[in-house]
Amino acid sequence: MNKWLIAFTVMLPTLIEVVDTSVVNVSLEHMRGSLSAGVDESTWTITSYLVSNAIIIPMTGWLSRLFGRKRYLIFSIALFTVASLLCGVAWSLGSLVFFRILQGIGGGALQPISQAILLESFPKEEHGTAMAVFGVGIMFGPIIGPLLGGWITDNWSWRWIFYINIPIGVISIFMTTLFIKDPHYIQNQGEKIKIDYWGLALMTLGLGCLQIVLDKGQQDNWFDSNFITALSVISVVSLVAFVLVELFYAEHPIVDMRIFKHISFSTGNFVMFFGFFNLFSSLVLLPIYLQSLMGYTAYLSGFVLGPGGMATLISLPIAGMLVSKINPKIILAFGIMITAYATHMMSNFTLSADFNAVIWPRVVLGIGMGFFFIPLTTLTISGVTREEMGNASSIYNLIRNLGGSFGVAFVTTMLARRQQYHQSHMIGNLTPYDTAYQDAVQRGAEMLQMRGLEATQAQQGSLANIYQELLRQASMLSFNDAFYLVFIVMLLMLPLVPIMRQARTNGAAPPPGMH
């Protein structure tokens, strides 16, 4: 079977699934009005999808062995497609949230299964090329999602962001039926596998609670909320118990933790977590900065993100070709440094930054992520056998998604806390004893009086304008701090690169398990 035909078959549904993780964000206001829901309630349409997605991803390898990978892939695409139709016809917020849960259950398996099939379909020396194909969907999805969602919502209706999945889903089912085959080591395993009920329950509870905490924590002021505190305790206890059950109790564990014995795999997952921590932090901070401080529309801020996505699409295939010719560790170190440098550039944003000043750091970040993702994935799975690939790709995709969720939760919290800090620090300079402040108030009042305001109103208006400017500057400094912290986190990944081991290809695949 042609490997490129297989690649197209598995990446088509994966791309629409990744797009769907971000496409709803820009349509929330329209959904809220249409379904008569509050702001806090409407965000559950995002949270519900992320929760079910996070639960299913690590189970994918186990479910593939239980039911057969091809059968499970077809079921997942079909469920995702039907759930998309139901989301489009949702009559209330409750029904939409329920159908989004079903959509997340169907979509969660698509990323790890696609990655596992790609890595098996391409020979070991072409794994860089395979991951370039996979990276196009994973990296480009979060960029195109908000742009596509905004355009469809403005020109058609929010319901069409779900309807467009239906024809693609039908084509994907047809192509999967024709072109995807189960490898011999996955066929007929279902009757041999004993279901790990304890592992299933603990993982569902632990990851579900964790994703809700990360998504709702800042909104509910973290541990000041009893709801967030309770879910955090449940999540920690459940996940610790889950690891113990999977290691020492389960005969057929849902997630085989022994895969972490590969030093490259465990190190690679750690680096991937913080790589996507950096990427998603930047993707969240940049539009907020542009829209809240610089006066950009959602459409214009999308134009700033777009070229970065194109830069990633260019760098991914280049990195894919280079990993078979140059030591992947060198390319990975280069990718980390470029990505960290881009975030450092963002930490120098000002309130007077022009379009070029904000677009170039995003382009540099896009280039860096291409040279980060490909060699890291190649090194991470270098010691993993084909039989372990399904389990490994499930864990790898879960870690990547959790890195993004932790990154978003971290920077939104830092943004709020640092803004409060800078505001309280700067307000101490605005006193009646400061001559510069007195002069500014006086000049502002005079200008307002020239526009027809009375002296008292002009004085109050001048004070309000100065305070408004203080808030803008405090907010700008908080963005600088958040970007700088993310830069430091990314830079700290460099010393881990030498620890990873490179598989020896020599034009052929190494024996199973060779590092």
Side-chain angles (χ1 to χ4, degrees), residues 4 119 122-135 316-324 328 370 373-375 377-379 381:
W4 291 108
L119 289 169
F122 284 71
K124 201 103 174 179
E125 63 271 18
E126 293 182 17
H127 275 182
T129 305
M131 285 305 92
V133 174
F134 184 69
L316 280 168
I318 295 172
M321 289 185 290
L322 287 176
V323 288
S324 59
F373 182 78
I374 302 298
T377 305
T378 305
L379 287 165
I381 53 89

Side-chain angles (χ1 to χ4, degrees), residues 10-85:
V10 296
M11 285 314 301
L12 187 62
T14 301
L15 179 60
I16 60 168
E17 190 276 326
V18 176
V19 166
D20 257 55
T21 59
S22 58
V23 75
V24 172
N25 299 26
V26 293
S27 307
L28 277 183
E29 281 300 304
H30 295 266
M31 291 179 182
R32 197 166 65 82
S34 175
L35 301 173
S36 303
V39 176
D40 290 354
E41 293 171 319
S42 64
T43 57
W44 279 102
T45 57
I46 299 171
T47 304
S48 57
Y49 183 87
L50 293 174
V51 168
S52 57
N53 217 257
I55 291 168
I56 287 295
I57 286 174
M59 295 169 56
T60 302
W62 177 75
L63 288 169
S64 296
R65 296 193 305 274
L66 187 64
F67 298 113
R69 189 166 67 191
K70 178 177 178 177
R71 192 180 300 133
Y72 180 50
L73 179 58
I74 292 171
F75 167 78
S76 295
I77 300 170
L79 178 59
F80 182 83
T81 306
V82 171
S84 296
L85 171 65

Side-chain angles (χ1 to χ4, degrees), residues 371-506:
F371 287 103
F372 170 82
F373 182 78
I374 302 298
L376 177 60
T377 305
T378 305
L379 287 165
T380 303
I381 53 89
S382 63
V384 176
T385 64
R386 288 182 173 233
E387 290 79 5
E388 296 173 315
M389 195 63 75
N391 181 58
S393 65
S394 298
I395 295 171
Y396 193 60
N397 281 277
L398 172 68
I399 296 294
R400 191 190 68 241
N401 284 9
L402 284 178
S405 296
F406 270 93
V408 171
F410 174 78
V411 294
T412 51
T413 302
M414 282 302 304
L415 209 57
R417 302 292 161 87
R418 294 301 293 176
Q419 186 171 353
Q420 292 168 0
Y421 166 79
H422 286 299
Q423 185 180 332
S424 62
H425 180 72
M426 292 167 71
I427 203 116
N429 297 322
L430 303 185
T431 70
Y433 307 107
D434 187 89
T435 53
Y437 170 64
Q438 289 175 337
D439 290 343
V441 172
Q442 187 62 35
R443 284 196 304 272
E446 288 171 0
M447 287 180 64
L448 292 173
Q449 279 182 296
M450 289 170 62
R451 294 182 182 179
L453 291 182
E454 295 179 359
T456 306
Q457 291 176 319
Q459 183 78 4
Q460 290 173 343
S462 179
L463 290 170
N465 288 339
I466 290 172
Y467 183 63
Q468 193 65 37
E469 181 60 24
L470 180 141
L471 292 179
R472 288 185 74 235
Q473 292 190 21
S475 183
M476 184 68 257
L477 289 171
S478 69
F479 276 100
N480 295 148
D481 292 346
F483 278 124
Y484 190 77
L485 281 168
V486 174
F487 154 69
I488 294 295
V489 167
M490 194 65 191
L491 212 54
L492 290 173
M493 295 302 104
L494 264 180
L496 297 177
V497 175
I499 299 174
M500 303 183 76
R501 299 174 184 173
Q502 180 186 0
R504 296 188 298 274
T505 55
N506 299 325

